Amino acid sequence: MEQAAITRPVKVAAGVFAPGHIGELTQIVPFEMVDEVLAQTGAVQRRVRLVPARVTVYVLLAGALFTGLGYRQVFDRLCAGLAGLALARPSGSALRQARQRLGPAPMKALFDLVRGPAATTAAAGWWRGLRVVAVDGTLLSVPDCPANLAVFTRQRLGNGISGYPQLRLAALVACGTRSVIGAVFGPAATGELEYARRLAVDLRAGMLLLGDRNFASAALLNQLAATGADLLVRCKSGRNLPPVARCRDGSTLARLGALTVRVIDAEVSIVTSRGTRTGHYRLLTTLTDPLTHPAGELVRLYHERWEIETAYAELKSTILGGHVLRARTPAGIEQEVWALLTAYQALRTAMTDATDSVPGTDPDRAGFTTALAAARDQLVLAAGI
């Protein structure tokens, strides 16, 4: 039987730094970027160890791509495409100590470098010159252990309490590309409104923020509008909002504290195999001119809010696969979540770059499950480093 040998050059760092990569995604999170955040946060190792700080960062990022594996197995994936380099295999204890030495600060700094709306020439995510973004929160389960229970609590459910302690994550996501502009997280005992207030620093003039009924607090809307961003938020249909003026399209103007909002009432019908279902929606917006921002278009635009729900599904169901986070300390949880968000952002950036290579292609044409599988394969092959 004839045998064929396939060879290819792979450029990697020398010595113990060689496992520091995440395949093709290393182009989005390059060595220089990681070294920069390590220097900024004072996390560069004082002596070269079996698992240097740069490699530890990439182990955490790779761990976010292989959430069902232990970190020692993740390290094996990082080395799988580096045959012939005679790399040492650290113990589980060595990898744990490396993560503890690193701490969460470098991972947060790394996320701050990669976060933001992905650049695209596609029209998706824009409406009448405004960048459409969405805000929402979700819950992630953390390991049930004494250290975590000191910070994260179980949540009350309709039929009891959650099986694991949980943290609350709130994010600001660019609709269209589903890239993460900002994120905050902490104990689930803190409500979504407080986390949304912390995300106000990431809002800018020229953005149109979409939010569900939970974010229709008058105080919160005033704070968010003060950033210069415009708002389109659903509120309870029975909310008392005395009109101060009526618009020609049937919408009205009302006051929420110092903020003037336009109130749009709409009947939305959904046709299914079981028949037609109609519901009443009431939307509040700071876009008060019905001529430049027609009510009908705003009603149709509001469904883009589901982009952030899809992003959370990709994060929790596709990447995490329903798994509980790994870390058994609050500092480890913080480190792990920043790594997870950074890996997600890198995937989203790569996907947007891929669709943008064909002008006019909607970023939604890229499948997240396929992109994740490709990233895992390229990591194991050490491709694209």
Side-chain angles (χ1 to χ4, degrees):
M1 179 182 296
E2 293 185 359
Q3 295 183 343
I6 299 175
T7 61
R8 57 185 175 81
V10 176
K11 182 181 178 181
V12 298
V16 292
F17 290 94
H21 73 92
I22 42 173
E24 187 173 315
L25 294 183
T26 309
Q27 298 176 34
I28 296 165
V29 188
F31 307 142
E32 297 82 2
M33 182 184 289
V34 173
D35 289 345
E36 180 182 341
V37 300
L38 291 173
Q40 287 178 351
T41 57
V44 179
Q45 68 281 335
R46 294 183 180 179
R47 61 184 176 86
V48 178
R49 299 173 179 268
L50 183 62
V51 190
R54 183 206 288 173
V55 174
T56 306
V57 170
Y58 284 109
V59 168
L60 285 161
L61 295 175
L65 299 177
F66 291 97
T67 54
L69 302 180
Y71 279 113
R72 206 170 184 215
Q73 294 170 300
V74 170
F75 191 88
D76 290 342
R77 298 299 190 279
L78 288 171
C79 299
L82 307 177
L85 295 185
L87 296 169
R89 185 176 188 245
S91 66
S93 176
L95 289 169
R96 181 178 65 255
Q97 292 172 22
R99 300 195 307 275
Q100 290 172 346
R101 284 194 304 269
L102 186 73
M107 302 311 299
K108 182 183 186 305
L110 187 60
F111 173 73
D112 284 338
L113 286 180
V114 301
R115 71 187 176 98
T120 177
T121 58
W126 292 87
W127 180 77
R128 290 184 173 257
L130 296 172
R131 182 185 294 279
V132 183
V133 300
V135 64
D136 206 355
T138 192
L139 295 171
L140 297 175
S141 296
V142 306
D144 186 352
C145 61
N148 284 340
L149 283 169
V151 175
F152 307 108
T153 58
R154 293 183 177 86
Q155 289 295 98
R156 292 190 177 276
L157 306 175
N159 56 350
I161 61 173
S162 59
Y164 287 95
Q166 294 182 312
L167 67 79
R168 192 181 304 279
L169 167 68
L172 186 66
V173 168
C175 297
T177 62
R178 296 180 207 150
S179 47
V180 183
I181 298 172
V184 291
F185 58 89
T190 302
E192 282 186 348
L193 297 190
E194 173 56 32
Y195 288 119
R197 291 186 183 96
R198 300 178 193 178
L199 287 170
V201 297
D202 294 314
L203 291 172
R204 301 286 185 273
M207 289 182 176
L208 176 58
L209 177 66
L210 311 184
D212 66 15
R213 289 178 294 186
N214 192 43
F215 300 97
S217 157
L220 176 61
L221 294 183
N222 274 266
Q223 179 182 347
L224 298 179
T227 65
D230 283 297
L231 312 176
L232 180 61
V233 178
R234 187 183 177 190
C235 75
K236 294 181 179 179
S237 57
R239 184 169 178 174
N240 184 26
L241 295 166
V244 297
R246 295 189 179 277
C247 302
R248 299 177 67 177
D249 65 350
S251 59
T252 61
L253 300 182
R255 299 285 291 178
L256 289 177
L259 185 65
T260 298
V261 295
R262 183 164 153 226
V263 183
I264 301 172
D265 288 293
E267 296 288 340
V268 178
S269 296
I270 302 174
V271 179
T272 70
S273 58
R274 297 184 178 181
T276 301
R277 180 178 177 181
T278 301
H280 179 251
Y281 275 64
R282 171 169 286 182
L283 302 178
L284 307 178
T285 182
T286 54
L287 300 170
T288 55
D289 188 343
L291 294 179
T292 56
H293 302 99
E297 289 188 28
L298 286 168
V299 171
R300 287 189 290 272
L301 178 68
Y302 181 72
H303 85 278
E304 294 292 330
R305 190 196 72 79
W306 284 96
E307 291 276 340
I308 193 169
E309 303 287 1
T310 303
Y312 282 145
E314 292 166 346
L315 196 70
K316 296 168 65 174
S317 298
T318 307
I319 294 184
L320 283 173
H323 293 112
V324 177
L325 297 175
R326 294 182 175 92
R328 302 184 68 81
T329 65
I333 289 293
E334 182 182 356
Q335 181 187 67
E336 187 177 354
V337 174
W338 289 127
L340 182 66
L341 291 170
T342 302
Y344 176 83
Q345 183 73 354
L347 276 168
R348 272 285 154 203
T349 302
M351 292 169 66
T352 304
D353 290 346
T355 55
D356 220 44
S357 64
V358 183
T361 304
D362 191 328
D364 278 337
R365 296 291 296 172
F368 190 82
T369 302
T370 301
L372 177 60
R376 288 170 172 167
D377 289 344
Q378 291 163 356
L379 186 152
V380 171
L381 295 171
I385 303 175

Short mmCIF file of all heavy atoms in Angstrom, two decimals, residues 108 111-112 115 135-140 152 167-173 180-188 190-202 215 308 312 315 334 337-338 341:
data_model
loop_
_atom_site.label_atom_id
_atom_site.label_comp_id
_atom_site.label_asym_id
_atom_site.label_seq_id
_atom_site.Cartn_x
_atom_site.Cartn_y
_atom_site.Cartn_z
N LYS A 108 -9.99 40.36 31.56
CA LYS A 108 -10.89 41.51 31.37
C LYS A 108 -10.25 42.53 30.44
O LYS A 108 -10.91 43.08 29.54
CB LYS A 108 -11.22 42.17 32.70
CG LYS A 108 -12.21 43.34 32.55
CD LYS A 108 -12.49 44.04 33.85
CE LYS A 108 -13.58 45.10 33.67
NZ LYS A 108 -13.26 46.08 32.58
N PHE A 111 -10.56 41.29 26.91
CA PHE A 111 -11.91 41.50 26.39
C PHE A 111 -12.13 42.95 26.01
O PHE A 111 -12.75 43.25 24.97
CB PHE A 111 -12.95 41.05 27.41
CG PHE A 111 -14.37 41.39 27.00
CD1 PHE A 111 -15.00 40.69 25.99
CD2 PHE A 111 -15.05 42.43 27.63
CE1 PHE A 111 -16.30 41.01 25.59
CE2 PHE A 111 -16.35 42.75 27.24
CZ PHE A 111 -16.97 42.05 26.22
N ASP A 112 -11.63 43.88 26.82
CA ASP A 112 -11.80 45.30 26.51
C ASP A 112 -11.14 45.68 25.20
O ASP A 112 -11.58 46.62 24.52
CB ASP A 112 -11.23 46.15 27.65
CG ASP A 112 -12.13 46.18 28.87
OD1 ASP A 112 -13.34 45.92 28.73
OD2 ASP A 112 -11.63 46.45 29.98
N ARG A 115 -13.60 43.83 22.31
CA ARG A 115 -15.04 44.11 22.28
C ARG A 115 -15.35 45.27 21.35
O ARG A 115 -14.47 46.06 20.99
CB ARG A 115 -15.55 44.41 23.68
CG ARG A 115 -15.09 45.74 24.27
CD ARG A 115 -15.52 45.83 25.72
NE ARG A 115 -15.04 47.05 26.37
CZ ARG A 115 -15.77 48.14 26.53
NH1 ARG A 115 -17.00 48.19 26.04
NH2 ARG A 115 -15.28 49.19 27.15
N VAL A 135 -29.96 45.47 24.57
CA VAL A 135 -29.49 45.17 25.92
C VAL A 135 -30.41 44.13 26.54
O VAL A 135 -31.62 44.13 26.31
CB VAL A 135 -29.45 46.45 26.80
CG1 VAL A 135 -30.84 47.03 27.00
CG2 VAL A 135 -28.79 46.17 28.14
N ASP A 136 -29.83 43.23 27.29
CA ASP A 136 -30.63 42.23 28.02
C ASP A 136 -29.69 41.50 28.99
O ASP A 136 -28.47 41.68 28.95
CB ASP A 136 -31.28 41.23 27.06
CG ASP A 136 -32.55 40.62 27.67
OD1 ASP A 136 -32.84 40.90 28.85
OD2 ASP A 136 -33.24 39.85 26.98
N GLY A 137 -30.29 40.69 29.85
CA GLY A 137 -29.52 39.92 30.81
C GLY A 137 -29.85 38.44 30.72
O GLY A 137 -30.86 38.05 30.14
N THR A 138 -28.98 37.63 31.30
CA THR A 138 -29.21 36.19 31.35
C THR A 138 -28.50 35.64 32.59
O THR A 138 -27.75 36.35 33.26
CB THR A 138 -28.68 35.50 30.08
OG1 THR A 138 -29.16 34.16 30.02
CG2 THR A 138 -27.16 35.49 30.03
N LEU A 139 -28.74 34.37 32.88
CA LEU A 139 -28.13 33.72 34.04
C LEU A 139 -27.21 32.59 33.59
O LEU A 139 -27.53 31.87 32.64
CB LEU A 139 -29.22 33.15 34.96
CG LEU A 139 -30.15 34.17 35.63
CD1 LEU A 139 -31.30 33.45 36.32
CD2 LEU A 139 -29.39 35.03 36.63
N LEU A 140 -26.07 32.44 34.27
CA LEU A 140 -25.14 31.34 34.03
C LEU A 140 -24.95 30.59 35.34
O LEU A 140 -24.84 31.20 36.41
CB LEU A 140 -23.79 31.86 33.55
CG LEU A 140 -23.75 32.59 32.20
CD1 LEU A 140 -22.34 33.12 31.94
CD2 LEU A 140 -24.18 31.67 31.07
N PHE A 152 -22.32 33.87 44.98
CA PHE A 152 -23.40 33.56 44.05
C PHE A 152 -24.45 32.68 44.76
O PHE A 152 -24.09 31.72 45.44
CB PHE A 152 -22.86 32.83 42.82
CG PHE A 152 -21.74 33.57 42.15
CD1 PHE A 152 -20.43 33.10 42.21
CD2 PHE A 152 -21.98 34.74 41.46
CE1 PHE A 152 -19.40 33.76 41.61
CE2 PHE A 152 -20.94 35.43 40.84
CZ PHE A 152 -19.65 34.94 40.92
N LEU A 167 -24.85 33.34 38.33
CA LEU A 167 -24.45 34.73 38.18
C LEU A 167 -25.32 35.36 37.11
O LEU A 167 -25.86 34.67 36.24
CB LEU A 167 -22.96 34.85 37.84
CG LEU A 167 -22.41 34.36 36.49
CD1 LEU A 167 -22.68 35.33 35.34
CD2 LEU A 167 -20.92 34.12 36.59
N ARG A 168 -25.44 36.67 37.18
CA ARG A 168 -26.21 37.39 36.18
C ARG A 168 -25.26 38.13 35.24
O ARG A 168 -24.35 38.85 35.68
CB ARG A 168 -27.16 38.40 36.83
CG ARG A 168 -28.20 38.97 35.83
CD ARG A 168 -29.11 39.99 36.50
NE ARG A 168 -29.80 39.44 37.66
CZ ARG A 168 -30.90 38.68 37.61
NH1 ARG A 168 -31.41 38.35 36.43
NH2 ARG A 168 -31.47 38.25 38.72
N LEU A 169 -25.45 37.91 33.95
CA LEU A 169 -24.66 38.56 32.91
C LEU A 169 -25.57 39.50 32.13
O LEU A 169 -26.66 39.11 31.72
CB LEU A 169 -24.06 37.50 31.97
CG LEU A 169 -23.45 37.99 30.65
CD1 LEU A 169 -22.19 38.81 30.89
CD2 LEU A 169 -23.15 36.80 29.73
N ALA A 170 -25.14 40.73 31.94
CA ALA A 170 -25.87 41.68 31.10
C ALA A 170 -24.92 42.17 30.02
O ALA A 170 -23.74 42.41 30.28
CB ALA A 170 -26.41 42.84 31.91
N ALA A 171 -25.43 42.30 28.81
CA ALA A 171 -24.55 42.67 27.69
C ALA A 171 -25.25 43.67 26.78
O ALA A 171 -26.48 43.76 26.73
CB ALA A 171 -24.14 41.44 26.90
N LEU A 172 -24.42 44.41 26.07
CA LEU A 172 -24.86 45.30 25.01
C LEU A 172 -24.34 44.71 23.71
O LEU A 172 -23.12 44.54 23.55
CB LEU A 172 -24.30 46.70 25.25
CG LEU A 172 -24.77 47.82 24.31
CD1 LEU A 172 -26.25 48.10 24.51
CD2 LEU A 172 -23.95 49.08 24.56
N VAL A 173 -25.23 44.33 22.81
CA VAL A 173 -24.87 43.59 21.61
C VAL A 173 -25.25 44.38 20.37
O VAL A 173 -26.33 44.99 20.31
CB VAL A 173 -25.57 42.21 21.59
CG1 VAL A 173 -25.46 41.53 20.24
CG2 VAL A 173 -24.97 41.31 22.67
N VAL A 180 -20.24 41.76 20.74
CA VAL A 180 -20.49 42.30 22.07
C VAL A 180 -19.79 43.65 22.22
O VAL A 180 -18.57 43.75 22.07
CB VAL A 180 -19.98 41.33 23.16
CG1 VAL A 180 -20.31 41.87 24.56
CG2 VAL A 180 -20.62 39.95 22.98
N ILE A 181 -20.57 44.68 22.53
CA ILE A 181 -20.03 46.02 22.71
C ILE A 181 -19.58 46.21 24.16
O ILE A 181 -18.57 46.85 24.44
CB ILE A 181 -21.08 47.08 22.31
CG1 ILE A 181 -21.43 46.94 20.83
CG2 ILE A 181 -20.58 48.48 22.62
CD1 ILE A 181 -22.60 47.80 20.39
N GLY A 182 -20.33 45.66 25.09
CA GLY A 182 -19.99 45.77 26.50
C GLY A 182 -20.66 44.67 27.29
O GLY A 182 -21.69 44.13 26.87
N ALA A 183 -20.09 44.33 28.44
CA ALA A 183 -20.67 43.28 29.28
C ALA A 183 -20.31 43.54 30.73
O ALA A 183 -19.22 44.03 31.03
CB ALA A 183 -20.17 41.90 28.85
N VAL A 184 -21.23 43.23 31.61
CA VAL A 184 -21.00 43.28 33.06
C VAL A 184 -21.67 42.05 33.66
O VAL A 184 -22.63 41.52 33.11
CB VAL A 184 -21.58 44.57 33.70
CG1 VAL A 184 -20.80 45.80 33.26
CG2 VAL A 184 -23.06 44.74 33.36
N PHE A 185 -21.15 41.60 34.78
CA PHE A 185 -21.77 40.44 35.43
C PHE A 185 -21.42 40.45 36.90
O PHE A 185 -20.52 41.17 37.37
CB PHE A 185 -21.32 39.13 34.76
CG PHE A 185 -19.83 38.91 34.75
CD1 PHE A 185 -19.18 38.28 35.80
CD2 PHE A 185 -19.07 39.35 33.67
CE1 PHE A 185 -17.81 38.08 35.77
CE2 PHE A 185 -17.69 39.16 33.64
CZ PHE A 185 -17.07 38.51 34.70
N GLY A 186 -22.15 39.62 37.65
CA GLY A 186 -21.94 39.53 39.09
C GLY A 186 -23.03 38.67 39.70
O GLY A 186 -23.69 37.89 39.01
N PRO A 187 -23.26 38.82 40.99
CA PRO A 187 -24.27 38.00 41.67
C PRO A 187 -25.66 38.16 41.04
O PRO A 187 -26.05 39.26 40.65
CB PRO A 187 -24.25 38.53 43.11
CG PRO A 187 -22.91 39.15 43.27
CD PRO A 187 -22.56 39.71 41.93
N ALA A 188 -26.38 37.06 40.96
CA ALA A 188 -27.74 37.10 40.41
C ALA A 188 -28.69 37.87 41.31
O ALA A 188 -29.75 38.31 40.87
CB ALA A 188 -28.26 35.68 40.18
N THR A 190 -28.30 40.78 42.31
CA THR A 190 -28.38 42.12 41.75
C THR A 190 -29.22 42.07 40.48
O THR A 190 -29.01 41.22 39.63
CB THR A 190 -26.97 42.66 41.43
OG1 THR A 190 -26.19 42.66 42.63
CG2 THR A 190 -27.03 44.07 40.88
N GLY A 191 -30.17 42.98 40.35
CA GLY A 191 -31.13 42.93 39.24
C GLY A 191 -30.58 43.43 37.92
O GLY A 191 -29.52 44.09 37.86
N GLU A 192 -31.30 43.14 36.85
CA GLU A 192 -30.89 43.53 35.51
C GLU A 192 -30.79 45.04 35.35
O GLU A 192 -29.93 45.53 34.61
CB GLU A 192 -31.88 42.97 34.47
CG GLU A 192 -31.70 41.50 34.16
CD GLU A 192 -32.60 41.05 33.02
OE1 GLU A 192 -33.51 41.81 32.63
OE2 GLU A 192 -32.38 39.93 32.53
N LEU A 193 -31.66 45.78 36.01
CA LEU A 193 -31.65 47.24 35.84
C LEU A 193 -30.33 47.84 36.32
O LEU A 193 -29.80 48.76 35.70
CB LEU A 193 -32.83 47.88 36.57
CG LEU A 193 -34.23 47.48 36.10
CD1 LEU A 193 -35.28 48.38 36.74
CD2 LEU A 193 -34.34 47.57 34.58
N GLU A 194 -29.81 47.33 37.43
CA GLU A 194 -28.54 47.84 37.94
C GLU A 194 -27.41 47.53 36.96
O GLU A 194 -26.56 48.39 36.69
CB GLU A 194 -28.23 47.23 39.31
CG GLU A 194 -26.85 47.57 39.85
CD GLU A 194 -26.59 49.06 39.95
OE1 GLU A 194 -27.55 49.83 40.19
OE2 GLU A 194 -25.43 49.47 39.77
N TYR A 195 -27.40 46.33 36.41
CA TYR A 195 -26.36 46.00 35.45
C TYR A 195 -26.51 46.84 34.17
O TYR A 195 -25.52 47.24 33.55
CB TYR A 195 -26.39 44.51 35.12
CG TYR A 195 -25.89 43.65 36.26
CD1 TYR A 195 -26.70 42.70 36.86
CD2 TYR A 195 -24.60 43.80 36.76
CE1 TYR A 195 -26.26 41.92 37.91
CE2 TYR A 195 -24.14 43.03 37.81
CZ TYR A 195 -24.97 42.08 38.39
OH TYR A 195 -24.52 41.32 39.44
N ALA A 196 -27.76 47.13 33.77
CA ALA A 196 -27.99 47.98 32.59
C ALA A 196 -27.45 49.38 32.82
O ALA A 196 -26.90 50.01 31.91
CB ALA A 196 -29.47 48.03 32.25
N ARG A 197 -27.59 49.88 34.05
CA ARG A 197 -27.04 51.21 34.37
C ARG A 197 -25.53 51.23 34.17
O ARG A 197 -24.96 52.21 33.69
CB ARG A 197 -27.39 51.60 35.80
CG ARG A 197 -28.87 51.88 36.04
CD ARG A 197 -29.13 52.41 37.44
NE ARG A 197 -30.56 52.61 37.65
CZ ARG A 197 -31.37 51.72 38.23
NH1 ARG A 197 -30.85 50.57 38.69
NH2 ARG A 197 -32.65 51.97 38.36
N ARG A 198 -24.87 50.12 34.53
CA ARG A 198 -23.42 50.05 34.38
C ARG A 198 -23.00 50.00 32.91
O ARG A 198 -21.87 50.37 32.57
CB ARG A 198 -22.87 48.84 35.12
CG ARG A 198 -23.17 48.86 36.62
CD ARG A 198 -22.64 47.60 37.31
NE ARG A 198 -23.18 47.46 38.66
CZ ARG A 198 -22.91 46.44 39.47
NH1 ARG A 198 -22.11 45.47 39.06
NH2 ARG A 198 -23.45 46.38 40.68
N LEU A 199 -23.91 49.54 32.04
CA LEU A 199 -23.61 49.46 30.61
C LEU A 199 -23.80 50.80 29.91
O LEU A 199 -23.44 50.93 28.73
CB LEU A 199 -24.49 48.41 29.94
CG LEU A 199 -24.13 46.94 30.24
CD1 LEU A 199 -25.23 46.02 29.74
CD2 LEU A 199 -22.79 46.57 29.63
N ALA A 200 -24.35 51.79 30.60
CA ALA A 200 -24.60 53.09 29.98
C ALA A 200 -23.31 53.71 29.45
O ALA A 200 -23.34 54.48 28.48
CB ALA A 200 -25.28 54.02 30.98
N VAL A 201 -22.16 53.40 30.06
CA VAL A 201 -20.89 53.99 29.62
C VAL A 201 -20.52 53.55 28.21
O VAL A 201 -19.68 54.18 27.56
CB VAL A 201 -19.75 53.63 30.60
CG1 VAL A 201 -20.01 54.22 31.97
CG2 VAL A 201 -19.56 52.12 30.70
N ASP A 202 -21.14 52.48 27.71
CA ASP A 202 -20.81 51.97 26.38
C ASP A 202 -21.76 52.48 25.31
O ASP A 202 -21.60 52.14 24.13
CB ASP A 202 -20.84 50.43 26.39
CG ASP A 202 -19.74 49.84 27.27
OD1 ASP A 202 -18.60 50.32 27.16
OD2 ASP A 202 -20.03 48.94 28.07
N PHE A 215 -36.78 46.97 31.05
CA PHE A 215 -35.89 48.13 31.03
C PHE A 215 -36.66 49.45 30.83
O PHE A 215 -36.04 50.47 30.53
CB PHE A 215 -34.84 47.97 29.93
CG PHE A 215 -33.98 46.76 30.11
CD1 PHE A 215 -34.26 45.57 29.45
CD2 PHE A 215 -32.90 46.79 30.98
CE1 PHE A 215 -33.47 44.45 29.63
CE2 PHE A 215 -32.10 45.68 31.17
CZ PHE A 215 -32.38 44.50 30.50
N ILE A 308 -30.05 39.70 20.53
CA ILE A 308 -29.30 39.44 21.77
C ILE A 308 -29.74 38.12 22.40
O ILE A 308 -28.93 37.42 23.01
CB ILE A 308 -29.44 40.61 22.77
CG1 ILE A 308 -28.40 40.45 23.89
CG2 ILE A 308 -30.85 40.73 23.32
CD1 ILE A 308 -28.26 41.66 24.77
N TYR A 312 -27.19 35.03 23.29
CA TYR A 312 -27.13 34.28 24.55
C TYR A 312 -27.32 32.79 24.31
O TYR A 312 -26.69 31.95 24.98
CB TYR A 312 -28.19 34.79 25.52
CG TYR A 312 -27.82 36.08 26.21
CD1 TYR A 312 -28.79 37.04 26.51
CD2 TYR A 312 -26.51 36.35 26.60
CE1 TYR A 312 -28.46 38.22 27.15
CE2 TYR A 312 -26.17 37.52 27.23
CZ TYR A 312 -27.14 38.47 27.51
OH TYR A 312 -26.81 39.63 28.14
N LEU A 315 -24.05 31.48 23.16
CA LEU A 315 -23.10 31.43 24.27
C LEU A 315 -23.39 30.26 25.20
O LEU A 315 -22.49 29.49 25.57
CB LEU A 315 -23.16 32.75 25.04
CG LEU A 315 -22.02 33.07 26.00
CD1 LEU A 315 -20.74 33.37 25.24
CD2 LEU A 315 -22.40 34.25 26.88
N GLU A 334 -14.81 34.82 37.53
CA GLU A 334 -14.63 36.08 36.80
C GLU A 334 -13.66 35.88 35.64
O GLU A 334 -13.92 36.32 34.51
CB GLU A 334 -14.13 37.17 37.75
CG GLU A 334 -13.97 38.51 37.06
CD GLU A 334 -13.41 39.59 37.96
OE1 GLU A 334 -13.21 39.31 39.16
OE2 GLU A 334 -13.16 40.71 37.46
N VAL A 337 -15.38 33.80 32.82
CA VAL A 337 -16.43 34.49 32.05
C VAL A 337 -15.80 35.47 31.08
O VAL A 337 -16.22 35.59 29.92
CB VAL A 337 -17.43 35.18 32.98
CG1 VAL A 337 -18.42 36.02 32.17
CG2 VAL A 337 -18.20 34.15 33.80
N TRP A 338 -14.75 36.19 31.51
CA TRP A 338 -14.09 37.11 30.57
C TRP A 338 -13.46 36.32 29.42
O TRP A 338 -13.50 36.77 28.26
CB TRP A 338 -13.02 37.92 31.29
CG TRP A 338 -13.54 38.98 32.22
CD1 TRP A 338 -13.20 39.15 33.53
CD2 TRP A 338 -14.49 40.01 31.92
NE1 TRP A 338 -13.89 40.21 34.07
CE2 TRP A 338 -14.68 40.77 33.11
CE3 TRP A 338 -15.19 40.37 30.78
CZ2 TRP A 338 -15.55 41.86 33.17
CZ3 TRP A 338 -16.07 41.46 30.84
CH2 TRP A 338 -16.23 42.19 32.01
N LEU A 341 -16.34 35.34 27.04
CA LEU A 341 -16.80 36.47 26.24
C LEU A 341 -15.77 36.85 25.17
O LEU A 341 -16.13 37.20 24.04
CB LEU A 341 -17.08 37.67 27.14
CG LEU A 341 -18.29 37.54 28.07
CD1 LEU A 341 -18.32 38.67 29.09
CD2 LEU A 341 -19.60 37.51 27.27
#
